Amino acid sequence: MTNDIVVVGSGGHAISVTNVALSCGYTVISYVDDCQAGKKILGTPVITFEECYSIYFSHNICIAIGDNAVREQVFKEYKVKMASAKFPILVHESCVIGINTHIDEGTVVMPLANIGPNSTLGKCCIVNTSSSIDHDCKIDDFASIAPGVITGGIVSIGKRTAISIGATIKHDTSIGVDVVIGANSYVDKNIGNCMVAYGSPCRKVRDREIGEAYLT
Ligand SMILES: CC(C)(COP(=O)(O)OP(=O)(O)OC[C@H]1O[C@@H](n2cnc3c(N)ncnc32)[C@H](O)[C@@H]1OP(=O)(O)O)[C@@H](O)C(=O)NCCC(=O)NCCS
């Protein structure tokens, strides 16, 4: 059982998480999605949330939901309903993790990502394929870093913030909570909270409501 893991979600991100989990030596024994229950993914059954709570209350769980706010909400529900469940850190074997870097529970680091030294990744973050986080960075809980994102050193990214595909963030820059930075942006100045910003240079485009869908 220690090498078994239940993946919560059934979309493309759940498949990517499966790929990382296998690389870490886990066996995926179930997926969880009320809308897909009864079906199979990669030959493995999909069950409902209620079934998961009653059967797998003390198992390893990974919340494979791409929307940052929904992932936070589901993680918090699981913590309450499944007090003995564990949320392992999943780092693909191809990644490079620097010295003195700390990664919190539930975070997934996809293939070929680089995390520089002295950095911290919070709970249930997603660090996607071929992204590079440099030294002394702080990625807060439930944030997501899309494929091909590059940050310089001493970059701070707030809770639930999504950095879209291919964005570049200058060293010593801070991005607030509940922000979406658009694809291919160059962030050269601090960005506040609750907004969509994009472009090169990256600037605020509009406010963002908490709970608004993340990436289009
Ligand atoms: C930032 C983003 C979420 C904005 O979405 P949105 O508010 O729905 O914006 P729209 O798609 O309606 O586009 C509005 C306009 O802004 C432009 N625009 C959108 N994103 C842009 C970006 N990143 N850079 C430059 N221009 C952009 C669009 O071309 C469009 O211009 P137009 O009005 O001249 O046609 C989205 O464009 C984006 O970057 N998504 C990234 C998805 C991603 O990285 N997924 C990774 C999954 S792992």
Side-chain angles (χ1 to χ4, degrees):
M1 194 194 81
T2 48
N3 284 335
D4 290 349
I5 192 164
V6 174
V7 172
V8 179
S10 67
H13 182 55
I15 304 295
S16 295
V17 164
T18 300
N19 190 50
V20 180
L22 294 180
S23 154
C24 296
Y26 288 99
T27 301
V28 177
I29 52 169
S30 214
Y31 294 89
V32 183
D33 184 341
D34 286 351
C35 300
Q36 302 293 326
K39 296 183 180 166
K40 286 190 172 182
I41 296 175
L42 301 171
T44 301
V46 185
I47 60 171
T48 64
F49 275 74
E50 284 306 324
E51 286 170 321
C52 183
Y53 296 146
S54 60
I55 303 169
Y56 295 124
F57 49 87
S58 62
H59 276 62
N60 295 312
I61 306 281
C62 181
I63 313 292
I65 296 173
D67 183 298
N68 294 346
V70 176
R71 190 169 64 259
E72 175 182 33
Q73 188 191 334
V74 170
F75 173 75
K76 289 182 172 168
E77 278 175 29
Y78 269 75
K79 278 286 207 187
V80 170
K81 293 193 173 176
M82 301 167 72
S84 333
K86 293 163 206 69
F87 298 86
I89 298 157
L90 300 179
V91 177
H92 191 270
E93 60 192 331
S94 64
C95 296
V96 177
I97 309 293
I99 55 168
N100 201 35
T101 277
H102 298 278
I103 304 178
D104 209 338
E105 61 180 342
T107 282
V108 180
V109 185
M110 299 287 183
L112 299 172
N114 171 68
I115 317 284
N118 270 339
S119 292
T120 60
L121 303 180
K123 293 183 205 315
C124 287
C125 294
I126 301 167
V127 179
N128 227 312
T129 315
S130 294
S131 55
S132 181
I133 308 292
D134 222 289
H135 65 93
D136 297 287
C137 288
K138 182 173 189 293
I139 315 294
D140 214 335
D141 301 344
F142 311 104
S144 60
I145 307 294
V149 166
I150 296 176
T151 84
I154 329 173
V155 163
S156 155
I157 293 173
K159 281 187 184 160
R160 294 172 299 274
T161 282
I163 312 297
S164 298
I165 195 160
T168 301
I169 304 172
K170 189 184 171 193
H171 67 274
D172 205 6
T173 301
S174 173
I175 298 174
V177 301
D178 295 294
V179 170
V180 172
I181 299 294
N184 217 27
S185 297
Y186 174 58
V187 183
D188 65 342
K189 288 188 165 59
N190 293 346
I191 302 278
N193 299 327
C194 299
M195 67 176 79
V196 175
Y198 53 72
S200 181
C202 183
R203 297 291 179 259
K204 176 177 177 178
V205 176
R206 59 179 164 84
D207 290 325
R208 204 178 155 264
E209 304 286 326
I210 292 175
E212 193 179 317
Y214 265 79
L215 300 174
T216 54

